[in-house]
């Protein structure tokens, strides 16, 4: 049994938990690299001479190189599998129209996005490293959530949309969603249901205050699916559900004076079944992209959607707002199918890992986090804005690669006796 298997199967009671088990330098730096865009306006950092994303990327790359040469298993098979996504995009560079947006998109894709995909293979290989990464990622999301709460209580009613630091409303809403899922899926294992009831109501209000419908739906989807698959018994009972709904309704009523009116309107129209300007724009992108995909089996090149759509300026960042439509159209059918295959392997690996290691909430949270970002990527974000989603694909595939094979082996062993007995005369 190797070190990874031994760590994956060590009972919680047999471990001595310390600070180092929850926060580590390389995992924190990599988490900051994925979320650096939210913290560029932090007091003391806004005048930093070098871009924080670049600094954290260089540091993460250094950790990757160190881990690559330090560890005996180089994971070349998984590395080639993930690099295949980037290699499949290479031919499209020959017919890419090299305007400003295309140059920016290609340069980021083959540097920062590539690093986000490769790094998890070498930085997060054991359960303890996974725990430290998820804790660091959730802690950074909690910082944004606390900032959003402070902003809501101070200037919420005086602004159109809730903003914190340099985070966009979408990135802020995603951070709040991550914090909510962390509390309900992971932290709920170690505290009472009434504490969870109180803690979870705050991010629900903040999600509405951010006014982004995509993260709201993604949070609900990830929460419901995870609980249906892994936690049905822990939150069963009509009384608890009614209590949660009543408490949320009352706190929401009291919070309305602090919530920006624009956000309330956006969420209200969405709940009422009406499409706002943002939704209509995305529907138009979807309708435009779908019939164009069969016409361009080899793709139109990075940033090519903007050309087809007739963007007024070559520098306009116009994209389909759906990662699969974007890859199918700009990269071609092969690239789109390759991303679909990677996504399937990721959800399969993370599911079987969470199923096998039911005693460890980290794996259930990883599965939930992947579902959350998968749902978000269907309605918002550009390919290079999807670093977290692509990093989670790499993480789930790397950690869950052997788990699925073991599950299939055990299933075949269970089926074999039944098949043989059926043929006994």
């Amino acid at each position: 049994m190797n070190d990874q298997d031994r760590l994956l199967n060590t009972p919680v009671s047999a471990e001595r938990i310390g600070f180092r088990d929850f926060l580590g330098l390389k995992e924190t730096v990599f988490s900051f690299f994925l979320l650096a865009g939210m913290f560029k306006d932090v007091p003391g950092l806004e005048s930093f001479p070098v871009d924080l994303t670049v600094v954290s990327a260089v540091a993460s790359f250094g950790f990757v190189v160190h881990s690559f040469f330090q560890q005996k298993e180089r994971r070349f098979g998984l590395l080639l599998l993930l690099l295949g996504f980037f290699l499949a995009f290479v031919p499209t560079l020959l017919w890419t129209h090299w305007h400003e947006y295309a140059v920016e998109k290609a340069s980021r894709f083959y540097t920062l996005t590539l690093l986000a995909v490769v790094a998890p293979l070498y930085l997060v290989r054991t359960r303890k490293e996974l725990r430290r990464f998820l804790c660091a990622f959730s802690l950074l999301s909690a910082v944004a959530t606390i900032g959003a709460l402070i902003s809501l209580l101070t200037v919420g009613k005086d602004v159109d949309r809730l903003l914190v630091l340099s985070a966009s409303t979408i990135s802020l809403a995603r951070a709040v969603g991550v914090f909510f899922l962390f509390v309900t899926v992971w932290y709920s294992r170690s505290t009472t249901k009434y504490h969870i009831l109180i803690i979870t109501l705050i991010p629900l209000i903040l999600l509405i205050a951010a006014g982004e419908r995509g993260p709201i739906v993604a949070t609900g989807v990830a929460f419901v699916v995870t609980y249906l698959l892994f936690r049905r018994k822990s939150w069963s009972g009509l009384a608890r559900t009614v209590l949660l709904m009543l408490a949320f309704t009352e706190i929401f009523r009291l919070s309305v004076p602090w919530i920006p009116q624009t956000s309330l309107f956006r969420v209200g129209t969405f709940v009422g079944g009406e499409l706002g300007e943002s939704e209509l724009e995305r529907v138009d992108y979807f309708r435009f992209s779908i019939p164009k995909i069969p016409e361009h089996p080899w793709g139109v090149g990075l940033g090519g959607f903007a050309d087809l759509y007739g963007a007024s300026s070559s520098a306009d960042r116009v994209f389909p707002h759906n990662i699969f439509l974007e890859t199918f159209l700009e990269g071609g059918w092969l690239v789109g199918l390759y991303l679909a295959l990677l996504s399937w392997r990721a959800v399969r690996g993370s599911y079987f890992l969470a199923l096998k290691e039911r005693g460890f909430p980290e794996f259930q949270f990883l599965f939930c986090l992947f579902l959350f970002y998968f749902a978000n990527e269907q309605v918002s974000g550009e390919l290079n804005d999807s670093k977290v989603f692509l990093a989670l694909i790499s993480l789930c595939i790397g950690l869950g690669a052997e788990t699925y094979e073991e599950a299939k082996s055990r299933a075949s062993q269970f089926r074999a006796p039944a098949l043989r007995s059926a043929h006994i005369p």
Side-chain angles (χ1 to χ4, degrees), residues 154-160 257-258 260:
T154 54
V155 298
K157 60 183 177 181
D158 299 322
V159 297
D160 291 332
W258 281 276

Side-chain angles (χ1 to χ4, degrees), residues 215-285:
I216 293 176
V217 174
T219 301
V221 169
F223 174 79
V224 171
V225 172
T226 302
Y227 266 79
L228 288 177
L229 290 176
F230 303 109
R231 308 285 294 281
R232 289 191 298 267
K233 297 180 181 179
S234 61
W235 275 69
S236 60
L238 181 61
R240 290 173 183 166
T241 304
V242 171
L243 177 62
L244 178 62
M245 293 177 62
L246 291 176
F248 173 74
T249 302
E250 180 62 19
I251 293 181
F252 175 72
R253 185 183 67 82
L254 297 174
S255 304
V256 166
W258 281 276
I259 297 178
Q261 294 303 306
T262 302
S263 297
L264 273 177
F265 177 77
R266 287 167 59 88
V267 176
T269 54
F270 178 75
V271 174
E274 300 179 24
L275 297 181
E277 181 180 351
S278 178
E279 288 90 352
L280 291 174
E281 184 180 53
R282 281 164 172 73
V283 169
D284 186 53
Y285 290 155

Side-chain angles (χ1 to χ4, degrees), residues 230 349-360 363-364 367:
F230 303 109
S350 60
Y351 170 72
F352 278 102
L353 189 60
L355 198 63
K356 175 185 176 184
E357 306 295 341
R358 282 181 175 270
F360 301 112
F363 300 116
Q364 292 180 14
F367 174 80

Side-chain angles (χ1 to χ4, degrees), residues 1 15 24 91 110 133 159 171 173 270 292 315 318 331 393:
M1 182 180 291
E15 297 183 40
Y110 284 102
F133 167 74
V159 297
S171 59
F270 178 75
K292 294 294 182 182
V318 181
I393 286 181

